[in-house]
Amino acid sequence: MHTDTERCVRAVQSKDARFDGWFFTAVLTTRIYCRPSCPVVPPKVRNMTFYPSAAACQQAGFRACKRCRPDTSPGSPEWNARADSVARAMRLIQDGVVDREGVPGLASRLGYSARQIERQLLAELGAGPLALARAQRAQTARLLIETTTLPMAQVAFAAGFSSIRTFNETVREVFALAPGELRTRAARVPQATAVPGVISLRLPYRTPLNPSNLFGHLAATAVPGVEEWRDGAYRRTLTLPYGHGVVALAPQPDHIACRLSLTDPRDLTRAISRCRWLLDLDADPVAVDAQLRTDPLLAPLVEAGPGRRVPRTVDGAEFAVRAVLGQQVSTAAARTHAARLVTAHGIPVDDPEGGLTHLFPTPGALAGLDPEALALPRTRRTTLTTLVEALAEDRLRLDTDTDWEQARAELAAMPGFGPWTVESIAMRALGDPDAFLPTDLGIRRAVERLGLPATPAALTARAADWRPWRAYAVQYLWTVDDHAINHLPA
């Protein structure tokens, strides 16, 4: 979008927050870059230039605005709606892969050479993987500086910097303030009472956001010991590269309040990325709802509760296991089966607030389970053990960068994986916005009440007009049935 100057200028002059994250405005006279909704008086058009990423702005010598803080914008919705190599690369960079594995590790995951990835990212984002990762490290450092009392040396290494000198230089260059000055400025702003060891932050999103189905679904399907709804917040344990964590996410009118307790602060980038992915916070609800409103049968559902998101997962392998456990049983039964696995094979953790007891077991931990110990039909035991074996041996990957169609084909080839299970995993684990569940019980009930075609084939053909947002159409269709997943818990 940054190449459409006229459209960008209109967005900046109207301070349209819907475009935050789509592009960044760099001001040639002040050498500052802003988000489109920056509250200051818009600069003259001749002094504006536009970039597709914060990293590109920084590479061009611009520093972040202290008023609108463009580094805290929601991410571009493009990366979640696309399945090409650039989108997959961006999802991996947001997960901190470059910091942990370097550019060669990023390229290896994508199946390209490092040179090809560099060229593709430069062409579309104006910055290579190292610059994009550097911009993200700067944002993580700012969060740690402003929300914790960690010594600056610990902040530097937790944010992914290789040296304190690089950390200091980057923070000064990006924010035009030394790390100590950032912390002093943050201390002047009234904040909620700090809890030792807990990082509190705000996760931005594009409005509107309807929390009912998002948090209602997560709470209704929560696995005891791993997830819970408490005091207006969804809480769960997280398995992370350097340790584990506990997160609490609570919906607020203009942000999601996030409280993170981590055993290793180096996991902050990954934890934030996982939470944003879980709640689908980088979606563009205006574009989605505009498309779905064109269908006269869906339009009333959209008008009744616009801004529905797709509830996802923090771990693709975990969701795949839970999807198999949930085949042809009720939500309560699926939770019971999952809780038994957690108790038997999950790693115990300490929750300062109580209530959460385990991490969900990894495929490696489940690889040696005794099928006879599972209270499941024999065919489903085979399905589960086959899935766990493929995941544990890395023959099947269900990460944010996984190719959607390849994963579908691999899942469909396994015993016991029908269209419902495959599409559920595509929608919630892989993040495909066009995944569709024509055989789902809730969808069949909605179809009957709305007068949509009853057979899966006919419904799929009818749903062609909803593409590429059929996963969001599923969220609206589920509201036709009065199920707990559609309501925030009391």
Side-chain angles (χ1 to χ4, degrees), residues 98-159:
V98 172
D99 292 334
R100 296 191 301 272
E101 304 174 21
V103 177
L106 172 69
S108 175
R109 285 183 177 235
L110 296 171
Y112 292 89
S113 69
R115 188 174 179 179
Q116 285 175 304
I117 294 299
E118 178 92 21
R119 186 169 61 249
Q120 291 176 22
L121 290 174
L122 277 170
E124 188 155 347
L125 287 154
L130 287 177
L132 291 162
R134 176 178 177 269
Q136 183 160 283
R137 282 195 294 272
Q139 180 182 350
T140 302
R142 183 172 192 164
L143 280 172
L144 289 170
I145 290 168
E146 295 181 340
T147 63
T148 74
T149 58
L150 287 174
M152 291 302 176
Q154 292 186 34
V155 169
F157 295 117

Side-chain angles (χ1 to χ4, degrees), residues 22 37 39 42 80 88 90 92 122 166 198 242 247 255 284 308 312 320 327 337 353 380 445 466:
W22 278 99
S37 64
N80 287 347
R88 291 163 60 203
M90 286 302 298
L92 286 172
L122 277 170
T166 305
V198 174
Y242 297 105
V247 65
H255 68 278
D284 183 355
R308 292 187 180 272
R312 293 179 180 159
Q327 288 177 339
H337 290 313
E353 298 182 36
R380 200 163 309 145
R445 289 175 176 169
W466 307 337

Side-chain angles (χ1 to χ4, degrees), residues 179-254:
E181 291 173 314
L182 275 178
R183 181 162 283 175
T184 301
R185 285 171 60 93
R188 298 181 192 143
V189 180
Q191 309 235 359
T193 303
V195 178
V198 174
I199 300 171
S200 296
L201 55 142
R202 299 155 61 106
L203 302 181
Y205 57 77
R206 292 177 185 83
T207 57
L209 180 141
N210 189 325
S212 299
N213 80 301
L214 185 57
F215 287 92
H217 199 122
L218 294 173
T221 59
V223 176
V226 174
E227 305 165 284
E228 69 172 0
W229 179 266
R230 174 188 291 192
D231 299 330
Y234 166 75
R235 303 180 69 245
R236 71 155 293 148
T237 58
L238 301 169
T239 300
L240 299 164
Y242 297 105
H244 65 267
V246 174
V247 65
L249 299 163
Q252 302 297 328
D254 61 349

Side-chain angles (χ1 to χ4, degrees), residues 85-443:
S85 58
V86 171
R88 291 163 60 203
M90 286 302 298
R91 293 198 287 269
L92 286 172
I93 292 170
Q94 290 165 359
D95 263 356
V97 167
V98 172
D99 292 334
R100 296 191 301 272
E101 304 174 21
V103 177
L106 172 69
S108 175
R109 285 183 177 235
L110 296 171
Y112 292 89
S113 69
R115 188 174 179 179
Q116 285 175 304
I117 294 299
E118 178 92 21
R119 186 169 61 249
Q120 291 176 22
L121 290 174
L122 277 170
E124 188 155 347
L125 287 154
L130 287 177
L132 291 162
R134 176 178 177 269
Q136 183 160 283
R137 282 195 294 272
Q139 180 182 350
T140 302
R142 183 172 192 164
L143 280 172
L144 289 170
I145 290 168
E146 295 181 340
T147 63
T148 74
T149 58
L150 287 174
M152 291 302 176
Q154 292 186 34
V155 169
F157 295 117
F161 290 96
S162 58
S163 71
I164 298 175
R165 179 180 176 180
T166 305
F167 160 70
N168 286 326
E169 290 175 349
T170 300
V171 171
R172 282 181 179 275
E173 181 181 333
V174 173
F175 304 115
L177 291 169
E181 291 173 314
L182 275 178
R183 181 162 283 175
T184 301
R185 285 171 60 93
R188 298 181 192 143
V189 180
Q191 309 235 359
T193 303
V195 178
V198 174
I199 300 171
S200 296
L201 55 142
R202 299 155 61 106
L203 302 181
Y205 57 77
R206 292 177 185 83
T207 57
L209 180 141
N210 189 325
S212 299
N213 80 301
L214 185 57
F215 287 92
H217 199 122
L218 294 173
T221 59
V223 176
V226 174
E227 305 165 284
E228 69 172 0
W229 179 266
R230 174 188 291 192
D231 299 330
Y234 166 75
R235 303 180 69 245
R236 71 155 293 148
T237 58
L238 301 169
T239 300
L240 299 164
Y242 297 105
H244 65 267
V246 174
V247 65
L249 299 163
Q252 302 297 328
D254 61 349
H255 68 278
I256 300 296
C258 175
R259 298 195 318 275
L260 277 166
S261 176
L262 304 173
T263 57
D264 192 319
R266 289 178 295 175
D267 283 322
L268 179 60
T269 298
R270 169 78 173 190
I272 293 173
S273 172
R274 295 290 81 205
C275 292
R276 295 193 64 81
W277 177 261
L278 170 72
L279 301 180
D280 194 15
L281 295 185
D282 291 327
D284 183 355
V286 173
V288 172
D289 290 352
Q291 172 76 10
L292 299 183
R293 278 193 184 98
T294 61
D295 189 308
L297 294 180
L298 282 186
L301 303 179
V302 177
E303 293 298 333
R308 292 187 180 272
R309 302 300 209 270
V310 177
R312 293 179 180 159
T313 179
V314 296
D315 185 270
E318 172 190 319
F319 182 79
V321 170
R322 292 171 61 171
V324 171
L325 295 176
Q327 288 177 339
Q328 300 178 346
V329 298
S330 66
T331 299
R335 293 177 65 205
T336 300
H337 290 313
R340 289 172 182 165
L341 278 187
V342 167
T343 302
H345 303 280
I347 298 175
V349 296
D350 292 326
D351 175 14
E353 298 182 36
L356 303 180
T357 59
H358 290 80
L359 301 174
F360 196 89
T362 64
L366 294 174
L369 64 82
D370 179 10
E372 299 302 321
L374 300 173
L376 299 171
R378 188 168 299 277
T379 54
R380 200 163 309 145
R381 294 181 201 171
T382 301
T383 301
L384 181 61
T385 54
T386 302
L387 170 67
V388 167
E389 182 181 348
L391 290 168
E393 295 177 357
D394 211 25
R395 290 185 284 108
L396 173 67
R397 291 180 60 251
L398 300 174
D399 298 327
T400 57
D401 64 301
T402 300
D403 182 273
W404 298 335
E405 296 311 317
Q406 180 181 342
R408 279 184 169 94
E410 292 173 350
L411 288 167
M414 292 184 179
F417 276 83
W420 180 88
T421 309
V422 171
E423 289 301 304
S424 294
I425 293 171
M427 179 171 69
R428 297 193 57 196
L430 303 181
D432 183 354
D434 202 37
F436 192 51
L437 307 173
T439 61
D440 179 79
L441 178 60
I443 297 299

